[in-house]
Amino acid sequence: MEYLEQIEESDANMAYRNEHPKPQFERATWECLNGKWDFEFDHGDSGEERKMQEKDAVYTRTIEVPFCPQSTLSGIGETDFMRAVWYRRVFTLSPEQLAGRVVLHFGAVDYMATVYVNGKKCGTHKGGYVSFSMDITDFVTTGDNLLVVRAQDDERNRMIPTGKQCQKYHSYACEYTRTTGIWQTVWLEFLPQT
């Protein structure tokens, strides 16, 4: 599958919010990465061994970020249990954007996120309800860059905080359908060196 083009801001079908997710901290130099991403289920959690982080990996679906794959708005709407899922997209950087530091932000990824840029692991984050960021300056170049995210979420593991996410296949009582993967805004921020 070819890498997806970024959605134009004027796209009338855009369901996600495009404004800065933390307006009190907004800087002029940021870029929203919400929109269409390549997507793949990894039911056996073997994707790293199969090199899903590499540019030639096969992804058979697309997903609308920041909606989780269980959501109809994601374009997937699959409510079964998911051990791991993979996301991939390309973003382009100019020499001006690379003059300082490049920071990648995630509003939330449930539950454990591993982030790769241009095939190299940049870092991990554990915890599905809080935002996190990482400096990816040393992993990016001018022009196209490949961003891949693996989200692992053993939804029946009682050691992982789940809130009211249902441990059964169907929602019941006050427990609701599970949330896996990216479910909040993703954005880049371009900062000065100091």
Side-chain angles (χ1 to χ4, degrees), residues 14-23 30-35 37 64-68 87 89 103-110 128-133 147 149 181-189:
M14 195 166 56
Y16 58 86
R17 307 288 303 253
N18 226 9
E19 69 271 3
H20 197 283
K22 297 182 179 184
W30 75 283
E31 180 180 333
C32 184
L33 295 181
N34 290 344
W37 291 49
E64 209 52 55
V65 168
F67 302 108
C68 68
Y87 297 80
R89 70 159 294 153
V103 179
L104 176 63
H105 296 272
F106 293 88
V109 179
D110 198 0
Y129 302 101
V130 295
S131 60
F132 65 97
S133 60
L147 170 60
V149 178
I182 300 171
W183 65 280
Q184 295 287 324
T185 294
V186 182
W187 73 101
L188 290 170
E189 191 173 31

mmCIF file of all heavy atoms in Angstrom, residues 14-23 30-35 37 64-68 87 89 103-110 128-133 147 149 181-189:
data_model
loop_
_atom_site.group_PDB
_atom_site.id
_atom_site.type_symbol
_atom_site.label_atom_id
_atom_site.label_comp_id
_atom_site.label_asym_id
_atom_site.label_seq_id
_atom_site.Cartn_x
_atom_site.Cartn_y
_atom_site.Cartn_z
ATOM 1 N N MET A 14 -13.687 15.660 7.240
ATOM 2 C CA MET A 14 -12.829 15.607 8.409
ATOM 3 C C MET A 14 -13.675 15.654 9.684
ATOM 4 O O MET A 14 -14.372 16.610 9.948
ATOM 5 C CB MET A 14 -11.863 16.797 8.357
ATOM 6 C CG MET A 14 -10.710 16.706 9.286
ATOM 7 S SD MET A 14 -9.449 17.923 8.874
ATOM 8 C CE MET A 14 -10.323 19.451 8.932
ATOM 9 N N ALA A 15 -13.611 14.573 10.490
ATOM 10 C CA ALA A 15 -14.410 14.502 11.711
ATOM 11 C C ALA A 15 -13.619 14.916 12.940
ATOM 12 O O ALA A 15 -14.197 15.254 13.957
ATOM 13 C CB ALA A 15 -14.948 13.083 11.889
ATOM 14 N N TYR A 16 -12.306 14.862 12.881
ATOM 15 C CA TYR A 16 -11.489 15.198 14.034
ATOM 16 C C TYR A 16 -11.297 16.708 14.157
ATOM 17 O O TYR A 16 -11.515 17.451 13.218
ATOM 18 C CB TYR A 16 -10.125 14.505 13.954
ATOM 19 C CG TYR A 16 -9.348 14.854 12.706
ATOM 20 C CD1 TYR A 16 -8.547 15.990 12.658
ATOM 21 C CD2 TYR A 16 -9.405 14.050 11.582
ATOM 22 C CE1 TYR A 16 -7.861 16.332 11.522
ATOM 23 C CE2 TYR A 16 -8.701 14.377 10.438
ATOM 24 C CZ TYR A 16 -7.937 15.515 10.418
ATOM 25 O OH TYR A 16 -7.250 15.860 9.287
ATOM 26 N N ARG A 17 -10.877 17.135 15.341
ATOM 27 C CA ARG A 17 -10.615 18.552 15.600
ATOM 28 C C ARG A 17 -9.184 18.873 15.180
ATOM 29 O O ARG A 17 -8.272 18.121 15.459
ATOM 30 C CB ARG A 17 -10.813 18.861 17.075
ATOM 31 C CG ARG A 17 -12.155 18.436 17.657
ATOM 32 C CD ARG A 17 -13.324 19.282 17.188
ATOM 33 N NE ARG A 17 -13.173 20.668 17.463
ATOM 34 C CZ ARG A 17 -13.831 21.336 18.389
ATOM 35 N NH1 ARG A 17 -14.697 20.723 19.149
ATOM 36 N NH2 ARG A 17 -13.650 22.621 18.552
ATOM 37 N N ASN A 18 -9.005 20.009 14.533
ATOM 38 C CA ASN A 18 -7.694 20.364 14.004
ATOM 39 C C ASN A 18 -6.981 21.450 14.810
ATOM 40 O O ASN A 18 -5.848 21.775 14.521
ATOM 41 C CB ASN A 18 -7.848 20.832 12.552
ATOM 42 C CG ASN A 18 -6.826 20.201 11.646
ATOM 43 O OD1 ASN A 18 -6.102 19.301 12.048
ATOM 44 N ND2 ASN A 18 -6.772 20.660 10.425
ATOM 45 N N GLU A 19 -7.661 22.014 15.822
ATOM 46 C CA GLU A 19 -7.011 23.064 16.593
ATOM 47 C C GLU A 19 -6.016 22.448 17.589
ATOM 48 O O GLU A 19 -6.053 21.255 17.861
ATOM 49 C CB GLU A 19 -8.019 23.944 17.312
ATOM 50 C CG GLU A 19 -8.754 23.272 18.449
ATOM 51 C CD GLU A 19 -10.029 22.575 18.002
ATOM 52 O OE1 GLU A 19 -10.342 22.554 16.808
ATOM 53 O OE2 GLU A 19 -10.706 22.015 18.884
ATOM 54 N N HIS A 20 -5.147 23.282 18.121
ATOM 55 C CA HIS A 20 -4.142 22.809 19.081
ATOM 56 C C HIS A 20 -4.860 22.206 20.291
ATOM 57 O O HIS A 20 -5.786 22.810 20.836
ATOM 58 C CB HIS A 20 -3.242 23.965 19.521
ATOM 59 C CG HIS A 20 -1.979 23.516 20.164
ATOM 60 N ND1 HIS A 20 -1.930 23.059 21.463
ATOM 61 C CD2 HIS A 20 -0.716 23.422 19.687
ATOM 62 C CE1 HIS A 20 -0.693 22.719 21.764
ATOM 63 N NE2 HIS A 20 0.062 22.936 20.701
ATOM 64 N N PRO A 21 -4.450 21.014 20.745
ATOM 65 C CA PRO A 21 -5.158 20.351 21.838
ATOM 66 C C PRO A 21 -4.944 20.993 23.211
ATOM 67 O O PRO A 21 -5.703 20.744 24.135
ATOM 68 C CB PRO A 21 -4.583 18.933 21.814
ATOM 69 C CG PRO A 21 -3.257 19.087 21.174
ATOM 70 C CD PRO A 21 -3.384 20.205 20.191
ATOM 71 N N LYS A 22 -3.911 21.809 23.338
ATOM 72 C CA LYS A 22 -3.640 22.488 24.606
ATOM 73 C C LYS A 22 -3.430 23.967 24.313
ATOM 74 O O LYS A 22 -2.298 24.462 24.289
ATOM 75 C CB LYS A 22 -2.407 21.883 25.273
ATOM 76 C CG LYS A 22 -2.595 20.426 25.632
ATOM 77 C CD LYS A 22 -1.387 19.860 26.342
ATOM 78 C CE LYS A 22 -1.641 18.406 26.704
ATOM 79 N NZ LYS A 22 -0.551 17.834 27.482
ATOM 80 N N PRO A 23 -4.505 24.713 24.064
ATOM 81 C CA PRO A 23 -4.377 26.099 23.596
ATOM 82 C C PRO A 23 -3.575 27.003 24.511
ATOM 83 O O PRO A 23 -2.954 27.951 24.049
ATOM 84 C CB PRO A 23 -5.817 26.580 23.454
ATOM 85 C CG PRO A 23 -6.684 25.522 23.994
ATOM 86 C CD PRO A 23 -5.881 24.291 24.197
ATOM 87 N N TRP A 30 3.771 24.605 15.118
ATOM 88 C CA TRP A 30 3.334 23.240 15.395
ATOM 89 C C TRP A 30 2.568 22.716 14.189
ATOM 90 O O TRP A 30 2.126 23.476 13.334
ATOM 91 C CB TRP A 30 2.483 23.181 16.656
ATOM 92 C CG TRP A 30 1.095 23.713 16.489
ATOM 93 C CD1 TRP A 30 0.721 25.031 16.427
ATOM 94 C CD2 TRP A 30 -0.105 22.947 16.315
ATOM 95 N NE1 TRP A 30 -0.640 25.127 16.262
ATOM 96 C CE2 TRP A 30 -1.168 23.871 16.189
ATOM 97 C CE3 TRP A 30 -0.386 21.588 16.292
ATOM 98 C CZ2 TRP A 30 -2.481 23.459 16.010
ATOM 99 C CZ3 TRP A 30 -1.697 21.186 16.122
ATOM 100 C CH2 TRP A 30 -2.719 22.127 15.992
ATOM 101 N N GLU A 31 2.436 21.383 14.104
ATOM 102 C CA GLU A 31 1.743 20.767 12.977
ATOM 103 C C GLU A 31 0.912 19.591 13.484
ATOM 104 O O GLU A 31 1.429 18.694 14.145
ATOM 105 C CB GLU A 31 2.760 20.270 11.951
ATOM 106 C CG GLU A 31 2.152 19.606 10.749
ATOM 107 C CD GLU A 31 3.205 19.121 9.764
ATOM 108 O OE1 GLU A 31 4.302 19.708 9.718
ATOM 109 O OE2 GLU A 31 2.923 18.144 9.060
ATOM 110 N N CYS A 32 -0.368 19.595 13.159
ATOM 111 C CA CYS A 32 -1.281 18.525 13.551
ATOM 112 C C CYS A 32 -1.043 17.304 12.659
ATOM 113 O O CYS A 32 -0.937 17.425 11.436
ATOM 114 C CB CYS A 32 -2.726 19.001 13.412
ATOM 115 S SG CYS A 32 -3.935 17.794 13.981
ATOM 116 N N LEU A 33 -0.960 16.122 13.276
ATOM 117 C CA LEU A 33 -0.777 14.883 12.521
ATOM 118 C C LEU A 33 -2.035 14.019 12.516
ATOM 119 O O LEU A 33 -1.990 12.849 12.117
ATOM 120 C CB LEU A 33 0.406 14.082 13.088
ATOM 121 C CG LEU A 33 1.780 14.733 12.953
ATOM 122 C CD1 LEU A 33 2.866 13.832 13.516
ATOM 123 C CD2 LEU A 33 2.094 15.099 11.511
ATOM 124 N N ASN A 34 -3.165 14.569 12.948
ATOM 125 C CA ASN A 34 -4.418 13.833 12.861
ATOM 126 C C ASN A 34 -4.770 13.607 11.397
ATOM 127 O O ASN A 34 -4.344 14.344 10.520
ATOM 128 C CB ASN A 34 -5.552 14.612 13.531
ATOM 129 C CG ASN A 34 -5.418 14.661 15.025
ATOM 130 O OD1 ASN A 34 -4.676 13.892 15.623
ATOM 131 N ND2 ASN A 34 -6.137 15.575 15.649
ATOM 132 N N GLY A 35 -5.574 12.606 11.145
ATOM 133 C CA GLY A 35 -6.019 12.312 9.785
ATOM 134 C C GLY A 35 -5.804 10.852 9.447
ATOM 135 O O GLY A 35 -5.749 9.994 10.325
ATOM 136 N N TRP A 37 -4.072 7.497 8.578
ATOM 137 C CA TRP A 37 -2.823 6.767 8.799
ATOM 138 C C TRP A 37 -3.020 5.352 8.254
ATOM 139 O O TRP A 37 -4.144 4.844 8.211
ATOM 140 C CB TRP A 37 -2.507 6.652 10.285
ATOM 141 C CG TRP A 37 -2.128 7.900 11.012
ATOM 142 C CD1 TRP A 37 -2.757 9.113 11.004
ATOM 143 C CD2 TRP A 37 -1.043 8.046 11.926
ATOM 144 N NE1 TRP A 37 -2.132 9.997 11.847
ATOM 145 C CE2 TRP A 37 -1.079 9.367 12.429
ATOM 146 C CE3 TRP A 37 -0.049 7.184 12.389
ATOM 147 C CZ2 TRP A 37 -0.151 9.835 13.348
ATOM 148 C CZ3 TRP A 37 0.865 7.651 13.311
ATOM 149 C CH2 TRP A 37 0.824 8.969 13.773
ATOM 150 N N GLU A 64 -8.596 6.656 10.797
ATOM 151 C CA GLU A 64 -8.716 8.096 11.008
ATOM 152 C C GLU A 64 -8.263 8.400 12.438
ATOM 153 O O GLU A 64 -8.964 8.085 13.399
ATOM 154 C CB GLU A 64 -10.181 8.465 10.801
ATOM 155 C CG GLU A 64 -10.551 9.822 10.322
ATOM 156 C CD GLU A 64 -9.896 10.349 9.088
ATOM 157 O OE1 GLU A 64 -9.928 9.718 8.022
ATOM 158 O OE2 GLU A 64 -9.367 11.469 9.206
ATOM 159 N N VAL A 65 -7.064 8.940 12.578
ATOM 160 C CA VAL A 65 -6.516 9.317 13.897
ATOM 161 C C VAL A 65 -7.077 10.691 14.236
ATOM 162 O O VAL A 65 -7.121 11.558 13.361
ATOM 163 C CB VAL A 65 -4.972 9.317 13.835
ATOM 164 C CG1 VAL A 65 -4.358 9.974 15.059
ATOM 165 C CG2 VAL A 65 -4.448 7.902 13.645
ATOM 166 N N PRO A 66 -7.554 10.935 15.451
ATOM 167 C CA PRO A 66 -7.271 10.234 16.693
ATOM 168 C C PRO A 66 -8.379 9.306 17.196
ATOM 169 O O PRO A 66 -8.500 9.107 18.404
ATOM 170 C CB PRO A 66 -7.083 11.380 17.674
ATOM 171 C CG PRO A 66 -8.111 12.374 17.260
ATOM 172 C CD PRO A 66 -8.153 12.258 15.747
ATOM 173 N N PHE A 67 -9.168 8.702 16.348
ATOM 174 C CA PHE A 67 -10.216 7.808 16.817
ATOM 175 C C PHE A 67 -9.666 6.402 16.984
ATOM 176 O O PHE A 67 -8.954 5.895 16.115
ATOM 177 C CB PHE A 67 -11.396 7.816 15.849
ATOM 178 C CG PHE A 67 -11.984 9.182 15.664
ATOM 179 C CD1 PHE A 67 -11.803 9.881 14.489
ATOM 180 C CD2 PHE A 67 -12.698 9.784 16.689
ATOM 181 C CE1 PHE A 67 -12.335 11.148 14.324
ATOM 182 C CE2 PHE A 67 -13.239 11.055 16.532
ATOM 183 C CZ PHE A 67 -13.049 11.743 15.347
ATOM 184 N N CYS A 68 -10.003 5.750 18.093
ATOM 185 C CA CYS A 68 -9.529 4.390 18.343
ATOM 186 C C CYS A 68 -10.186 3.429 17.356
ATOM 187 O O CYS A 68 -11.260 3.713 16.824
ATOM 188 C CB CYS A 68 -9.810 3.986 19.791
ATOM 189 S SG CYS A 68 -11.565 3.795 20.167
ATOM 190 N N TYR A 87 0.330 1.674 13.631
ATOM 191 C CA TYR A 87 -0.037 2.866 12.870
ATOM 192 C C TYR A 87 1.191 3.331 12.089
ATOM 193 O O TYR A 87 2.315 3.246 12.585
ATOM 194 C CB TYR A 87 -0.415 4.011 13.811
ATOM 195 C CG TYR A 87 -1.615 3.777 14.678
ATOM 196 C CD1 TYR A 87 -1.544 3.022 15.843
ATOM 197 C CD2 TYR A 87 -2.837 4.369 14.353
ATOM 198 C CE1 TYR A 87 -2.649 2.850 16.658
ATOM 199 C CE2 TYR A 87 -3.947 4.198 15.165
ATOM 200 C CZ TYR A 87 -3.841 3.435 16.314
ATOM 201 O OH TYR A 87 -4.936 3.271 17.109
ATOM 202 N N ARG A 89 2.463 6.595 9.169
ATOM 203 C CA ARG A 89 2.221 7.727 8.278
ATOM 204 C C ARG A 89 3.544 8.409 7.958
ATOM 205 O O ARG A 89 4.539 8.231 8.659
ATOM 206 C CB ARG A 89 1.235 8.721 8.871
ATOM 207 C CG ARG A 89 1.773 9.494 10.048
ATOM 208 C CD ARG A 89 1.050 10.780 10.310
ATOM 209 N NE ARG A 89 1.278 11.699 9.219
ATOM 210 C CZ ARG A 89 0.446 12.667 8.856
ATOM 211 N NH1 ARG A 89 -0.675 12.842 9.489
ATOM 212 N NH2 ARG A 89 0.723 13.481 7.891
ATOM 213 N N VAL A 103 9.768 18.022 18.426
ATOM 214 C CA VAL A 103 9.150 17.249 19.508
ATOM 215 C C VAL A 103 7.832 16.670 19.005
ATOM 216 O O VAL A 103 7.013 17.380 18.421
ATOM 217 C CB VAL A 103 8.914 18.124 20.759
ATOM 218 C CG1 VAL A 103 8.242 17.324 21.863
ATOM 219 C CG2 VAL A 103 10.236 18.705 21.254
ATOM 220 N N LEU A 104 7.655 15.369 19.231
ATOM 221 C CA LEU A 104 6.441 14.661 18.850
ATOM 222 C C LEU A 104 5.576 14.489 20.091
ATOM 223 O O LEU A 104 6.049 14.007 21.119
ATOM 224 C CB LEU A 104 6.817 13.287 18.262
ATOM 225 C CG LEU A 104 5.689 12.344 17.884
ATOM 226 C CD1 LEU A 104 4.822 12.928 16.770
ATOM 227 C CD2 LEU A 104 6.280 11.002 17.451
ATOM 228 N N HIS A 105 4.293 14.884 19.998
ATOM 229 C CA HIS A 105 3.365 14.828 21.130
ATOM 230 C C HIS A 105 2.213 13.866 20.833
ATOM 231 O O HIS A 105 1.702 13.835 19.710
ATOM 232 C CB HIS A 105 2.743 16.211 21.391
ATOM 233 C CG HIS A 105 3.710 17.250 21.809
ATOM 234 N ND1 HIS A 105 4.045 17.461 23.121
ATOM 235 C CD2 HIS A 105 4.413 18.157 21.080
ATOM 236 C CE1 HIS A 105 4.915 18.464 23.192
ATOM 237 N NE2 HIS A 105 5.148 18.904 21.969
ATOM 238 N N PHE A 106 1.788 13.151 21.862
ATOM 239 C CA PHE A 106 0.601 12.298 21.798
ATOM 240 C C PHE A 106 -0.321 12.706 22.942
ATOM 241 O O PHE A 106 0.106 12.741 24.092
ATOM 242 C CB PHE A 106 0.968 10.822 21.963
ATOM 243 C CG PHE A 106 1.760 10.266 20.824
ATOM 244 C CD1 PHE A 106 3.140 10.354 20.816
ATOM 245 C CD2 PHE A 106 1.118 9.648 19.757
ATOM 246 C CE1 PHE A 106 3.879 9.838 19.758
ATOM 247 C CE2 PHE A 106 1.848 9.134 18.696
ATOM 248 C CZ PHE A 106 3.237 9.228 18.697
ATOM 249 N N GLY A 107 -1.597 12.968 22.629
ATOM 250 C CA GLY A 107 -2.568 13.266 23.673
ATOM 251 C C GLY A 107 -2.800 12.060 24.558
ATOM 252 O O GLY A 107 -2.887 12.187 25.773
ATOM 253 N N ALA A 108 -2.871 10.869 23.978
ATOM 254 C CA ALA A 108 -2.983 9.616 24.730
ATOM 255 C C ALA A 108 -2.935 8.439 23.763
ATOM 256 O O ALA A 108 -3.481 8.505 22.662
ATOM 257 C CB ALA A 108 -4.267 9.565 25.543
ATOM 258 N N VAL A 109 -2.278 7.365 24.217
ATOM 259 C CA VAL A 109 -2.231 6.091 23.502
ATOM 260 C C VAL A 109 -2.453 5.004 24.542
ATOM 261 O O VAL A 109 -1.749 4.944 25.547
ATOM 262 C CB VAL A 109 -0.870 5.882 22.790
ATOM 263 C CG1 VAL A 109 -0.851 4.535 22.080
ATOM 264 C CG2 VAL A 109 -0.568 7.009 21.816
ATOM 265 N N ASP A 110 -3.428 4.145 24.302
ATOM 266 C CA ASP A 110 -3.789 3.111 25.273
ATOM 267 C C ASP A 110 -3.252 1.753 24.791
ATOM 268 O O ASP A 110 -3.610 1.301 23.722
ATOM 269 C CB ASP A 110 -5.312 3.057 25.409
ATOM 270 C CG ASP A 110 -5.778 2.354 26.669
ATOM 271 O OD1 ASP A 110 -4.939 1.898 27.448
ATOM 272 O OD2 ASP A 110 -6.994 2.260 26.849
ATOM 273 N N GLY A 128 -2.328 4.673 29.436
ATOM 274 C CA GLY A 128 -3.257 5.015 28.371
ATOM 275 C C GLY A 128 -4.062 6.277 28.540
ATOM 276 O O GLY A 128 -4.861 6.614 27.685
ATOM 277 N N TYR A 129 -3.867 7.002 29.662
ATOM 278 C CA TYR A 129 -4.748 8.136 29.938
ATOM 279 C C TYR A 129 -4.040 9.481 30.005
ATOM 280 O O TYR A 129 -4.676 10.489 30.268
ATOM 281 C CB TYR A 129 -5.489 7.900 31.266
ATOM 282 C CG TYR A 129 -6.289 6.630 31.257
ATOM 283 C CD1 TYR A 129 -5.811 5.484 31.888
ATOM 284 C CD2 TYR A 129 -7.505 6.567 30.601
ATOM 285 C CE1 TYR A 129 -6.532 4.301 31.873
ATOM 286 C CE2 TYR A 129 -8.241 5.387 30.583
ATOM 287 C CZ TYR A 129 -7.751 4.261 31.217
ATOM 288 O OH TYR A 129 -8.466 3.105 31.198
ATOM 289 N N VAL A 130 -2.747 9.514 29.797
ATOM 290 C CA VAL A 130 -2.007 10.769 29.929
ATOM 291 C C VAL A 130 -1.238 11.085 28.648
ATOM 292 O O VAL A 130 -0.868 10.192 27.889
ATOM 293 C CB VAL A 130 -1.020 10.731 31.123
ATOM 294 C CG1 VAL A 130 -1.768 10.607 32.427
ATOM 295 C CG2 VAL A 130 -0.026 9.607 30.978
ATOM 296 N N SER A 131 -0.999 12.374 28.436
ATOM 297 C CA SER A 131 -0.230 12.795 27.268
ATOM 298 C C SER A 131 1.253 12.561 27.505
ATOM 299 O O SER A 131 1.713 12.471 28.643
ATOM 300 C CB SER A 131 -0.502 14.268 26.967
ATOM 301 O OG SER A 131 -0.136 15.065 28.063
ATOM 302 N N PHE A 132 1.996 12.442 26.418
ATOM 303 C CA PHE A 132 3.448 12.298 26.509
ATOM 304 C C PHE A 132 4.078 12.861 25.239
ATOM 305 O O PHE A 132 3.395 13.085 24.239
ATOM 306 C CB PHE A 132 3.860 10.834 26.732
ATOM 307 C CG PHE A 132 3.536 9.900 25.593
ATOM 308 C CD1 PHE A 132 4.482 9.567 24.640
ATOM 309 C CD2 PHE A 132 2.269 9.341 25.497
ATOM 310 C CE1 PHE A 132 4.178 8.694 23.608
ATOM 311 C CE2 PHE A 132 1.950 8.460 24.468
ATOM 312 C CZ PHE A 132 2.910 8.135 23.520
ATOM 313 N N SER A 133 5.353 13.125 25.325
ATOM 314 C CA SER A 133 6.074 13.656 24.171
ATOM 315 C C SER A 133 7.487 13.106 24.161
ATOM 316 O O SER A 133 7.987 12.608 25.167
ATOM 317 C CB SER A 133 6.085 15.187 24.201
ATOM 318 O OG SER A 133 6.711 15.647 25.372
ATOM 319 N N LEU A 147 6.809 7.754 10.331
ATOM 320 C CA LEU A 147 6.432 7.628 11.741
ATOM 321 C C LEU A 147 5.596 6.365 11.900
ATOM 322 O O LEU A 147 4.604 6.176 11.192
ATOM 323 C CB LEU A 147 5.623 8.857 12.177
ATOM 324 C CG LEU A 147 4.952 8.797 13.541
ATOM 325 C CD1 LEU A 147 5.968 8.602 14.663
ATOM 326 C CD2 LEU A 147 4.126 10.063 13.771
ATOM 327 N N VAL A 149 3.850 3.765 14.996
ATOM 328 C CA VAL A 149 3.504 3.605 16.404
ATOM 329 C C VAL A 149 2.916 2.216 16.611
ATOM 330 O O VAL A 149 1.985 1.825 15.898
ATOM 331 C CB VAL A 149 2.485 4.666 16.866
ATOM 332 C CG1 VAL A 149 2.102 4.448 18.323
ATOM 333 C CG2 VAL A 149 3.021 6.073 16.644
ATOM 334 N N GLY A 181 -5.042 1.842 21.425
ATOM 335 C CA GLY A 181 -4.240 2.633 20.502
ATOM 336 C C GLY A 181 -4.381 4.131 20.679
ATOM 337 O O GLY A 181 -4.742 4.638 21.731
ATOM 338 N N ILE A 182 -4.090 4.852 19.599
ATOM 339 C CA ILE A 182 -4.123 6.322 19.613
ATOM 340 C C ILE A 182 -5.580 6.767 19.729
ATOM 341 O O ILE A 182 -6.408 6.406 18.903
ATOM 342 C CB ILE A 182 -3.487 6.905 18.335
ATOM 343 C CG1 ILE A 182 -2.020 6.477 18.214
ATOM 344 C CG2 ILE A 182 -3.618 8.428 18.317
ATOM 345 C CD1 ILE A 182 -1.377 6.833 16.877
ATOM 346 N N TRP A 183 -5.876 7.560 20.764
ATOM 347 C CA TRP A 183 -7.253 8.047 20.917
ATOM 348 C C TRP A 183 -7.309 9.533 21.281
ATOM 349 O O TRP A 183 -8.364 10.052 21.616
ATOM 350 C CB TRP A 183 -8.033 7.196 21.916
ATOM 351 C CG TRP A 183 -7.565 7.237 23.331
ATOM 352 C CD1 TRP A 183 -6.518 6.554 23.864
ATOM 353 C CD2 TRP A 183 -8.136 7.990 24.390
ATOM 354 N NE1 TRP A 183 -6.388 6.849 25.193
ATOM 355 C CE2 TRP A 183 -7.380 7.725 25.555
ATOM 356 C CE3 TRP A 183 -9.214 8.869 24.492
ATOM 357 C CZ2 TRP A 183 -7.652 8.300 26.784
ATOM 358 C CZ3 TRP A 183 -9.485 9.440 25.721
ATOM 359 C CH2 TRP A 183 -8.720 9.153 26.845
ATOM 360 N N GLN A 184 -6.181 10.214 21.160
ATOM 361 C CA GLN A 184 -6.130 11.668 21.334
ATOM 362 C C GLN A 184 -5.210 12.238 20.242
ATOM 363 O O GLN A 184 -4.462 11.510 19.595
ATOM 364 C CB GLN A 184 -5.590 12.031 22.717
ATOM 365 C CG GLN A 184 -6.472 11.600 23.868
ATOM 366 C CD GLN A 184 -7.714 12.452 23.993
ATOM 367 O OE1 GLN A 184 -7.689 13.649 23.756
ATOM 368 N NE2 GLN A 184 -8.816 11.832 24.363
ATOM 369 N N THR A 185 -5.244 13.537 20.079
ATOM 370 C CA THR A 185 -4.504 14.222 19.019
ATOM 371 C C THR A 185 -3.004 13.921 19.049
ATOM 372 O O THR A 185 -2.401 13.786 20.102
ATOM 373 C CB THR A 185 -4.734 15.744 19.133
ATOM 374 O OG1 THR A 185 -6.113 16.006 18.856
ATOM 375 C CG2 THR A 185 -3.879 16.539 18.167
ATOM 376 N N VAL A 186 -2.421 13.848 17.848
ATOM 377 C CA VAL A 186 -0.973 13.684 17.666
ATOM 378 C C VAL A 186 -0.481 14.939 16.948
ATOM 379 O O VAL A 186 -1.095 15.383 15.980
ATOM 380 C CB VAL A 186 -0.651 12.434 16.806
ATOM 381 C CG1 VAL A 186 0.857 12.250 16.665
ATOM 382 C CG2 VAL A 186 -1.308 11.198 17.381
ATOM 383 N N TRP A 187 0.635 15.513 17.433
ATOM 384 C CA TRP A 187 1.142 16.720 16.778
ATOM 385 C C TRP A 187 2.650 16.846 16.942
ATOM 386 O O TRP A 187 3.259 16.268 17.828
ATOM 387 C CB TRP A 187 0.430 17.969 17.276
ATOM 388 C CG TRP A 187 0.741 18.464 18.658
ATOM 389 C CD1 TRP A 187 1.562 19.495 19.001
ATOM 390 C CD2 TRP A 187 0.197 17.976 19.900
ATOM 391 N NE1 TRP A 187 1.558 19.682 20.360
ATOM 392 C CE2 TRP A 187 0.734 18.761 20.940
ATOM 393 C CE3 TRP A 187 -0.680 16.947 20.232
ATOM 394 C CZ2 TRP A 187 0.422 18.554 22.283
ATOM 395 C CZ3 TRP A 187 -0.994 16.736 21.570
ATOM 396 C CH2 TRP A 187 -0.441 17.541 22.571
ATOM 397 N N LEU A 188 3.243 17.603 16.008
ATOM 398 C CA LEU A 188 4.662 17.950 16.046
ATOM 399 C C LEU A 188 4.792 19.382 16.529
ATOM 400 O O LEU A 188 3.946 20.229 16.231
ATOM 401 C CB LEU A 188 5.287 17.855 14.649
ATOM 402 C CG LEU A 188 5.464 16.472 14.057
ATOM 403 C CD1 LEU A 188 5.866 16.593 12.588
ATOM 404 C CD2 LEU A 188 6.499 15.678 14.833
ATOM 405 N N GLU A 189 5.878 19.652 17.233
ATOM 406 C CA GLU A 189 6.172 21.006 17.682
ATOM 407 C C GLU A 189 7.621 21.296 17.341
ATOM 408 O O GLU A 189 8.495 20.452 17.535
ATOM 409 C CB GLU A 189 5.937 21.102 19.184
ATOM 410 C CG GLU A 189 5.947 22.507 19.714
ATOM 411 C CD GLU A 189 5.536 22.547 21.166
ATOM 412 O OE1 GLU A 189 5.788 21.587 21.908
ATOM 413 O OE2 GLU A 189 4.957 23.573 21.570
#
